[in-house]
Amino acid sequence: MDRIPILKMGPFLLVTIQVDLYDRLALSLENDLINMVSKTGARGVLIDISAVNIVDSFMGRILGNIASMSRIMDAETVVVGMQPAVAITLVELGLTLQGVHTALNVEKGMDLLYDKSDLLTDEQNNQEDTEEPDDYND
Amino acid sequence: MTKDTMQIVREQDVVPFRNRVRELATKIGMSLVNQTKLITAASELVRNMLKYASGGKITLEVISKTGQSGIRLTFADNGPGIENIPQAMQDGFSTGRSLGLGLPGAKRLVNEFDIKSVVGQGTTVTVTHWKNGR
């Protein structure tokens, strides 16, 4: 059976969905992700859907489930790269993806995850060694 | 004009079906947003068909009206039928454990929506979406 690969990147998990999801594939992703969060103690999950053309109510529910389950396990979820046509369609469909953080692209999504999980990026860590910490964390 | 039918009996039939709809929509020059709306609506309806009626038959047609072309999809199943259609068309109502957005959401996404159902015999949903989305 097909599987969507989950990559570990520092404290976070990264998933890039490159194929059209059918239901069972989406369900196994949900399952695999939660297991990975538990196994690795990841603090965040980043899901890139920039190659996804269709998000229907089922897929939306899966994204919501992943976010809720991860949160219970102390990990935040950010969905990035949504195509404009998909966003327009989701709102008309009536799906607001409550509880799911979103960002425009992977880079902004990573920043958001660092922010949400109160972790410092490498860059900020290096800065802290050399200069006074600014009010970033206030 | 073009008329096609597809049998849907399992989940794996959904992706080829969605691709076929996209192909037709591209052929008549439908914009990306309208394509996405139509395919998302189709995806909701085909899922209902699989979930509640274990599949059915879909007719795909390219139609035209006063110079404008569009796509009409007819989802026909021999499932248990829907007892209370107004209730099924309400946001958030579901007899399964889903969000209850399928039918009302699909209706919002397309230009024309028609549903007929006979309890014990089956349900037929017809949706039409025009090239320019109006």
Side-chain angles (χ1 to χ4, degrees):
Chain A
M1 203 182 104
D2 301 328
R3 273 222 133 77
I4 295 170
I6 301 171
L7 309 175
K8 189 173 181 305
M9 255 185 81
F12 305 133
L13 299 177
L14 180 66
V15 179
T16 303
I17 302 176
Q18 299 275 15
V19 291
D20 267 328
L21 283 181
Y22 50 91
D23 295 8
R24 216 167 310 154
L25 192 57
L27 282 171
S28 70
L29 173 66
E30 176 186 293
N31 218 332
D32 292 350
L33 256 178
I34 301 311
N35 284 326
M36 274 289 268
V37 169
S38 154
K39 210 163 74 185
T40 61
R43 299 296 310 279
V45 175
L46 190 131
I47 304 173
D48 175 19
I49 59 165
S50 56
V52 175
N53 297 311
I54 300 294
V55 176
D56 60 11
S57 66
F58 182 82
M59 179 63 197
R61 183 158 64 114
I62 296 286
L63 291 174
N65 285 353
I66 290 173
S68 320
M69 293 173 185
S70 306
R71 181 159 305 138
I72 295 173
M73 307 196 44
D74 196 25
E76 294 290 333
T77 301
V78 178
V79 171
V80 306
M82 186 180 292
Q83 294 177 14
V86 171
I88 292 169
T89 301
L90 272 185
V91 172
E92 278 193 29
L93 185 63
L95 207 67
T96 50
L97 293 185
Q98 268 174 351
V100 182
H101 301 298
T102 52
L104 219 46
N105 53 40
V106 174
E107 206 180 335
K108 291 196 164 119
M110 278 303 210
D111 288 348
L112 188 63
L113 273 183
Y114 274 109
D115 213 35
K116 292 280 173 202
S117 54
D118 282 329
L119 292 170
L120 295 176
T121 60
D122 286 346
E123 209 174 299
Q124 288 161 349
N125 263 329
N126 294 340
Q127 271 175 11
E128 283 225 324
D129 296 338
T130 51
E131 51 186 89
E132 289 285 311
D134 54 23
D135 57 2
Y136 185 86
N137 289 311
D138 284 354
Chain B
M1 290 176 92
T2 322
K3 191 164 175 171
D4 224 352
T5 59
M6 284 180 95
Q7 291 289 340
I8 302 288
V9 288
R10 46 195 192 125
E11 214 187 273
Q12 281 84 337
D13 299 335
V14 172
V15 173
F17 161 67
R18 292 204 299 218
N19 291 342
R20 186 79 187 103
V21 177
R22 188 174 292 280
E23 229 172 84
L24 288 178
T26 311
K27 206 167 87 184
I28 66 164
M30 192 181 277
S31 73
L32 184 62
V33 171
N34 283 312
Q35 283 189 25
T36 307
K37 287 183 183 177
L38 174 64
I39 298 167
T40 306
S43 188
E44 300 292 341
L45 296 171
V46 75
R47 169 163 304 111
N48 279 351
M49 207 163 77
L50 276 168
K51 187 171 169 188
Y52 297 104
S54 345
K57 193 178 82 177
I58 305 172
T59 310
L60 306 92
E61 294 167 86
V62 173
I63 55 170
S64 78
K65 181 184 78 179
T66 58
Q68 182 172 212
S69 47
I71 289 177
R72 174 170 293 156
L73 305 172
T74 307
F75 301 78
D77 69 53
N78 300 313
I82 301 170
E83 224 167 279
N84 186 339
I85 292 180
Q87 193 179 37
M89 292 304 298
Q90 274 170 29
D91 271 325
F93 177 82
S94 174
T95 56
R97 285 183 309 130
S98 66
L99 297 172
L101 287 175
L103 282 178
K107 186 180 181 185
R108 279 192 293 270
L109 289 172
V110 294
N111 297 137
E112 290 161 35
F113 183 98
D114 179 63
I115 181 165
K116 290 190 177 66
S117 190
V118 179
V119 173
Q121 287 185 28
T123 303
T124 302
V125 179
T126 308
V127 298
T128 306
H129 205 60
W130 300 103
K131 181 182 159 179
N132 65 6
R134 269 174 284 150

